[in-house]
Amino acid sequence: MVDLQTQYQKIKPQVDEAMNRVVDSAAFINGPEVKSFQAELEDYLAVQHVIPCANGTDALQIAMMGLGLKPGDEVITATFTYVATAEVIALLQLKPVLVDVDPETYTLDPEKVREAVTPRTKAIVPVHLFGQCADMDALRAIAREHHLHIVEDTAQAIGADFYARNGEVGKAGTLGDVGATSFFPSKNLGCYGDGGALFTNDDELAAKIRMVANHGQSRRYYHDRVGVNSRLDSLQAAVLRQKLPHLDAYNAARRKAADFYDQALGDLPQLQTPVRSSLSSHVFHQYTLRIKDETINRDELIAYLKEKEIPAMIYYPVALHMQKAYRDERYDPGHFPVTERLVDTVFSLPMHTELSQDQQAYITETIINYLK
Ligand SMILES: *Cc1c(COP(=O)(O)O)cnc(C)c1O
């Protein structure tokens, strides 16, 4: 599904040197690499504050703690997402309110969000799923109207541009009150272990977030609020500093690979290729197809691809509201028709920066052969 080895080989001398620099300096925690990476990412995103942390799940949790959300507060998010989004809501004893997604972009459906707002709603968490932004225009309008916070889960969309209807352009993760991202190795900007970060243009919120991420500490050994320990270590920052200058090229390589898949598979009546939103560039964290023809058995198709040594994955096979840990009697089967169809029909093909045309031709020809 990914090829991190080949990508590393292309930047090995620079990455190795950067990592050696950290080891030689022994500044493993909060060293100069972390501060430089923070500043460079602020520049890239054109955002006032980047606060690095230990992983994307922590970033989401710290965002909600920084906003001062209290047990019982309702937080609206998509039921078609990775579990981390809802996990932190539940951990903080907030109330996850799940809604369905748009049938074309698979991101939060603004109309469904509007219907889910109650007087107890405090925040909306759009997930920029698979690499393109949710309709932030519509979500920001709802948030303004009801005085809600927006926490963007941008773990899959770093580098994507949102094209607002008023002509403004902004980077994913900088469009709400706070953005949360992950540098997990397979993400579009991945390190060589765990990593994450928060983004905000709000000075006061940034100070709170910094405090929460550092044991709630205002100055050393003075703890003003309950916090967590969540840091990006210097080795990971050093790797990320070497990769950040390539992020746009990495995302362009993913887009080019997606264009190839689109071209080869776009005319097949049995498959729906990814629909590109007019509101966002697509950075293709995943290339996710949907089976439109009910006579095609997804498991058999995936087994056939495996036999031909082509990996394929299902993101995600179970909607959040159907997971054991998040089962909620408010949500009967049939409650979220779009998501329920998606979990039964989507599958994702290999997508990374190092795909060759030969590999892609083999993958698409194998699929076309199967569907014949
Ligand atoms: C990867 C991911 C996360 C969590 O990131 P970690 O760094 O693995 O904690 C959160 N949300 C989404 C949508 C993700 O894809």
Side-chain angles (χ1 to χ4, degrees):
M1 291 299 286
V2 296
D3 181 359
L4 298 170
Q5 192 59 41
T6 309
Q7 192 192 57
Y8 167 57
Q9 289 307 323
K10 293 181 179 167
I11 51 170
K12 184 172 168 17
Q14 300 91 306
V15 170
D16 289 0
E17 201 216 298
M19 291 179 83
N20 283 331
R21 206 161 53 226
V22 173
V23 177
D24 283 340
S25 74
F28 297 113
I29 302 291
N30 290 335
E33 296 287 334
V34 178
K35 290 185 184 72
S36 301
F37 172 62
Q38 175 190 317
E40 287 157 12
L41 189 55
E42 283 166 355
D43 255 10
Y44 173 82
L45 294 169
V47 71
Q48 287 298 314
H49 305 279
V50 166
I51 302 107
C53 69
N55 58 68
T57 309
D58 273 8
L60 286 163
Q61 177 176 341
I62 293 164
M64 292 180 206
M65 291 172 77
L67 288 170
L69 302 186
K70 299 273 176 329
D73 287 352
E74 292 180 5
V75 177
I76 298 175
T77 194
T79 188
F80 189 57
T81 181
Y82 181 58
V83 67
T85 325
E87 187 172 50
V88 301
I89 299 172
L91 264 180
L92 294 172
Q93 295 182 293
L94 311 171
K95 190 163 173 202
V97 174
L98 302 176
V99 304
D100 214 346
V101 294
D102 178 90
E104 295 206 317
T105 61
Y106 312 155
T107 58
L108 212 44
D109 181 335
E111 277 319 302
K112 297 292 183 315
V113 170
R114 192 179 285 284
E115 289 165 17
V117 172
T118 76
R120 291 172 303 283
T121 308
K122 290 287 151 54
I124 306 172
V125 185
V127 182
H128 302 321
L129 200 72
F130 301 153
Q132 63 185 347
C133 298
D135 183 349
M136 293 301 293
D137 276 343
L139 296 173
R140 287 191 290 207
I142 297 167
R144 258 195 310 275
E145 199 178 311
H146 297 278
H147 307 286
L148 309 176
H149 301 294
I150 295 185
V151 179
E152 295 173 75
D153 181 343
T154 189
Q156 299 189 0
I158 193 155
D161 284 312
F162 179 71
Y163 309 118
R165 290 172 181 84
N166 67 6
E168 282 174 18
V169 182
K171 288 280 182 208
T174 69
L175 309 162
D177 295 281
V178 51
T181 203
S182 164
F183 304 123
F184 187 81
S186 62
K187 306 286 187 190
N188 291 39
L189 178 61
C191 58
Y192 295 170
D194 275 307
L198 297 105
F199 319 138
T200 185
N201 283 309
D202 179 333
D203 297 345
E204 223 173 287
L205 181 59
K208 284 182 191 158
I209 286 171
R210 276 208 181 82
M211 201 186 277
V212 169
N214 185 25
H215 296 293
Q217 187 167 270
S218 54
R219 57 195 164 105
R220 203 167 221 185
Y221 306 125
Y222 290 79
H223 304 274
D224 294 2
R225 49 165 71 215
V226 176
V228 295
N229 172 27
S230 188
R231 296 184 284 244
L232 179 72
D233 71 63
S234 304
L235 277 169
Q236 301 308 338
V239 171
L240 289 164
R241 282 191 72 199
Q242 297 309 311
K243 291 183 74 174
L244 179 59
H246 300 288
L247 178 57
D248 284 339
Y250 287 160
N251 284 340
R254 287 170 177 272
R255 242 182 327 263
K256 190 159 163 243
D259 291 343
F260 186 103
Y261 281 143
D262 279 357
Q263 198 116 66
L265 305 173
D267 292 334
L268 297 173
Q270 301 99 324
L271 296 179
Q272 175 64 58
T273 51
V275 177
R276 302 192 195 193
S277 163
S278 57
L279 296 171
S280 176
S281 66
H282 203 321
V283 296
F284 285 99
H285 178 60
Q286 297 297 346
Y287 187 86
T288 301
L289 293 149
R290 184 163 61 75
I291 299 173
K292 288 195 287 189
D293 180 339
E294 279 165 26
T295 63
I296 295 166
N297 181 307
R298 181 176 57 172
D299 292 342
E300 281 171 18
L301 168 58
I302 290 174
Y304 177 82
L305 294 175
K306 287 237 158 81
E307 217 174 274
K308 305 285 178 193
E309 293 182 37
I310 298 168
M313 293 287 286
I314 299 171
Y315 304 113
Y316 296 95
V318 183
L320 274 182
H321 69 282
M322 298 303 279
Q323 297 282 2
K324 257 192 214 161
Y326 300 94
R327 194 71 195 93
D328 186 326
E329 68 283 358
R330 282 176 300 173
Y331 309 131
D332 297 325
H335 201 93
F336 301 117
V338 177
T339 295
E340 284 167 34
R341 196 173 65 231
L342 291 176
V343 295
D344 287 339
T345 55
V346 290
F347 69 103
S348 300
L349 294 178
M351 172 50 75
H352 53 83
T353 57
E354 311 303 320
L355 274 172
S356 71
Q357 298 229 336
D358 285 351
Q359 286 174 320
Q360 289 200 278
Y362 174 68
I363 294 168
T364 53
E365 278 158 24
T366 307
I367 293 172
I368 291 165
N369 267 333
Y370 180 84
L371 295 176
K372 254 195 210 134

